[in-house]
Amino acid sequence: MAEAFLLIAAATGATLLLTVSAALIGIVLGAPLVLLAQSRSAILRGIYTVFVHVVRGVPALVWLFIAFFGLAELGIVLPALASAVLTLGIIAIATMAEIYRGGLAAIRQGQYEAGWALSLGRWSLAKDIIFPQLFRAVSPTTATYIVGLLKDSALASIIGVPEIVYVTGLEVQSLGHGLELFLFAGLIYLALSIPLGVVSRVIHVRLTRRYAVL
Amino acid sequence: MDKRMDPVHTDTRAIEVEHSSGHSFVQAEHLVKRFGEHRAIDDVSLSIAKGEVISLIGPSGAGKSTLLRLLNVLETPDSGTLRVGDAAMTFDGTPVKRARVLAIRRHTGMVFQSFNLFPHLSAVQNVALAQMRVLGRSKDEARTRALAQLERVGLAAKADAYPSQCSGGQQQRIGIARALAMDPDLMLFDEPTSGLDPEVGAEILAVMRELAADGTTMVMATHEMEFARHVSHWTCVMVEGAVIERGAPAQVFDAPEHERTRRFLSAVLGR
Amino acid sequence: MSSFLPTTPAPLSWLWDWYQWIPTLLPGLGTALLLTLVSVGVGYPLGFGLALLTETRSALARWFAIVVVEVGRGLPILVLLLLVYRGLPSVGILFDAFLSASVALVWSSAAYSAEIIRTGLGAVPRGQFDAAYALSMNRTDMYRLIVLPQALRVSIPPLVNLGITMFHATSLATVITVEEIMHIANLEGSIYFRYMSVFMAAAVIYLAITVPVSLYADRLAKRLGGVMTVRKTVLRRPAGSVPVSAES
């Protein structure tokens, strides 16, 4: 039993790896995607809307199976871990783009106008005025979403990625004690998400204490 | 209300009196701005000499703000011409040249009704940012000048405060300092006091009065009739996108020519 | 089904022959919808109860509600499913697959909806309570006539979205052998080795349910939000205004 707990705890690394990689993919690649939503071209905006609705309208498990079983059928054989990162990463891109879109919508028109009236260049307007406010507007939502990704990463167990839930399942299969072991697995998730929540709350409070809330 | 039914409107085109003599610094002619079907600015011409203070008065929705926003091309006119200093533009519905717009905006500073301060920057940073990014001033120079401008509006003590830590009146004074720091030749004030308590508004008006006394060229949309009357050199009365009457404040306020102006003044002055 | 399919399908045939799997997957959709109905129909009322419990004066009730909500929100749904299906038997509680899935999804849905409803109640301005008290309303009337209608305006759009999330989550019940869409899809896919095609069909079925509902939720949010809705213009400029770069 003690050994099972240790093995499960050790699998936390894989869970964090999945979570962090997917989060980074989403945070980085969601930014160019949201530019599509801001485009003047109705076609580009349409592509954005369809992409976001399709990616988020289908359960992650379906994408995971497509990435793991489906692509293999087409001759693209990905390891389970890569399939899981790819799947969670693409969903994270769509979700982060939506979070960015919401953050941009929260920035008042007057901020752009003040920048234009001061003759600020496009780059300066983006870098000095919009981005810092966007960052503050999206960080709480992003933190919440990363906690969501942490839980979504459990999906990877279904295709055999040795993260927390997969290892727990193996141990339960050989030892029994399903209740204790799955509760222990659950406690790890709680233990991981509580600090993230606290950190995001502290950041949020610190930012809002000083700056006007958007 | 259909403006064609308004008798006042028929003779707007007659009122294109050149009120300023000699060389004008700002010359706007036949500006038109439509929002959909609505003619927000309906053939307005304006000429302003250096050092003049112009007040725009009139009922809400008359186009005072829009006219100000045309003067620094925050809105692009559909037709007409605009010259500010040596920067001139002709509008005919074709896309405008950025460099031209930029040249005009470099001459103008704008103070907004809703302040539009950058909430993530301190007062001094708000004032310094565009100096560094647009005028290429060094950080030290921008800061020194920013502090001087804050001093001028009486806010040296608030230099390191963030907008959310300042009262509305203080925020608006930071907004004025921010615009002044760019050394504009023309200051545009878009109802700078209308979001503030009367007493706080007085702080802003005091600053503006000083600017006027220093010879700053200013155009202001305002609801402060007493202020318009005593500080401005010329007053324009706007109704439904058109300037229906213009002249020296004493004349406009005491002997308005137009029935519509009389109605407006009697409503706001309660007489 | 096999009679439709050539023995060695063209590599991209899944792009056009996926629809053939739809009839096979439909019973799975029925199961998924039933599970969604249970998790919403039982979960939301429980969530409402939990939301009220977190506001009560009894510390015991409050802590009970907080633990139930935080565990329900903090654990992956997959872990809740496995906890019920594979964990409870070790203490002698045996539910069949569907009942296990129902219990886990109800728990999750109750926990999330409790949080949504609590937020909605919190969004009702203090002045509304004061006004109700000033009019000498009793507590029941105050909640029924004043507080709840306003709280629901805030809560309904996220509750509709939570319904979509729960519908998606039913796909996880495949791991405890509930015969929903993905269970059938996986089985069929492995029999015919036509994974792409069959998962495409599954994706289309999910989209056919979720896209209309989420569009409806967006519209609902806009309508209920009224003046609170955010302006659409973002990096796009207001009509007619000119962006000018000062970069030289």
Side-chain angles (χ1 to χ4, degrees), chain B residues 55-129:
Chain B
S55 52
L56 305 177
I57 63 171
S60 299
K64 304 185 294 292
S65 288
T66 308
L67 179 57
L68 284 176
R69 296 159 64 87
L70 293 186
L71 292 181
N72 69 349
V73 209
L74 268 188
E75 307 281 357
T76 311
D78 294 309
S79 61
T81 61
L82 174 65
R83 182 177 60 75
V84 179
D86 51 5
M89 294 186 78
T90 301
F91 304 98
D92 53 8
T94 56
V96 289
K97 292 212 169 54
R98 317 167 96 229
R100 294 279 182 83
V101 178
L102 187 61
I104 286 181
R105 285 192 194 152
R106 287 275 185 95
H107 280 297
T108 57
M110 186 161 200
V111 175
F112 298 89
Q113 182 181 348
S114 50
F115 324 145
N116 292 347
L117 292 186
F118 304 130
H120 59 294
L121 301 178
S122 67
V124 68
Q125 287 169 331
N126 260 281
V127 184
L129 178 74

Side-chain angles (χ1 to χ4, degrees), chain A residues 7-205:
Chain A
L7 285 170
I8 293 170
T12 306
T15 291
L16 286 177
L17 176 68
L18 279 167
T19 309
V20 171
S21 347
L24 285 178
I25 292 174
I27 287 168
V28 172
L29 297 182
L33 184 62
V34 80
L35 292 182
L36 285 187
Q38 311 300 325
S39 160
R40 285 188 181 198
S41 148
I43 297 171
L44 292 182
R45 291 204 304 275
I47 290 174
Y48 174 87
T49 308
V50 169
F51 178 80
V52 167
H53 273 102
V54 168
V55 168
R56 287 159 45 93
V58 174
L61 184 66
V62 180
W63 293 129
L64 186 68
F65 279 5
I66 287 178
F68 190 63
F69 300 112
L71 290 184
E73 182 187 301
L74 303 182
I76 307 168
V77 183
L78 294 178
L81 181 68
S83 299
V85 169
L86 178 72
T87 303
L88 294 174
I90 287 176
I91 296 171
I93 291 172
T95 309
M96 284 309 302
E98 281 291 273
I99 290 176
Y100 293 147
R101 197 168 65 91
L104 284 172
I107 296 173
R108 286 178 304 134
Q109 188 64 30
Q111 293 293 309
Y112 296 87
E113 290 181 356
W116 293 330
L118 289 166
S119 309
L120 283 181
R122 224 178 240 182
W123 170 241
S124 171
L125 185 67
K127 176 173 73 79
D128 298 323
I129 307 301
I130 304 306
F131 181 77
Q133 297 187 52
L134 182 62
F135 180 77
R136 290 172 172 89
V138 301
S139 38
T141 337
T142 305
T144 309
Y145 178 57
I146 293 175
V147 174
L149 266 177
L150 173 75
K151 290 181 281 171
D152 288 348
S153 73
L155 272 181
S157 66
I158 299 176
I159 57 167
V161 177
E163 47 65 80
I164 297 173
V165 177
Y166 180 79
V167 173
T168 311
L170 283 185
E171 294 303 311
V172 171
Q173 210 161 1
S174 58
L175 299 174
H177 297 291
L179 194 64
E180 298 94 313
L181 293 180
F182 278 116
L183 269 180
F184 179 67
L187 282 178
I188 298 179
Y189 284 99
L190 279 178
L192 290 175
S193 52
I194 288 169
L196 248 171
V198 169
V199 167
S200 85
R201 201 162 303 171
V202 166
I203 292 176
H204 188 66
V205 166

Side-chain angles (χ1 to χ4, degrees), chain C residues 220-234:
Chain C
L220 203 64
K222 226 162 262 178
R223 208 178 40 155
L224 293 179
V227 288
M228 305 260 296
T229 40
V230 261
R231 200 184 345 213
K232 192 113 205 233
T233 17
V234 184

Side-chain angles (χ1 to χ4, degrees), chain C residues 38-55:
Chain C
V38 171
S39 59
V40 167
V42 181
Y44 287 8
L46 283 179
F48 183 68
L50 287 169
L52 293 184
L53 278 188
T54 54
E55 311 276 299

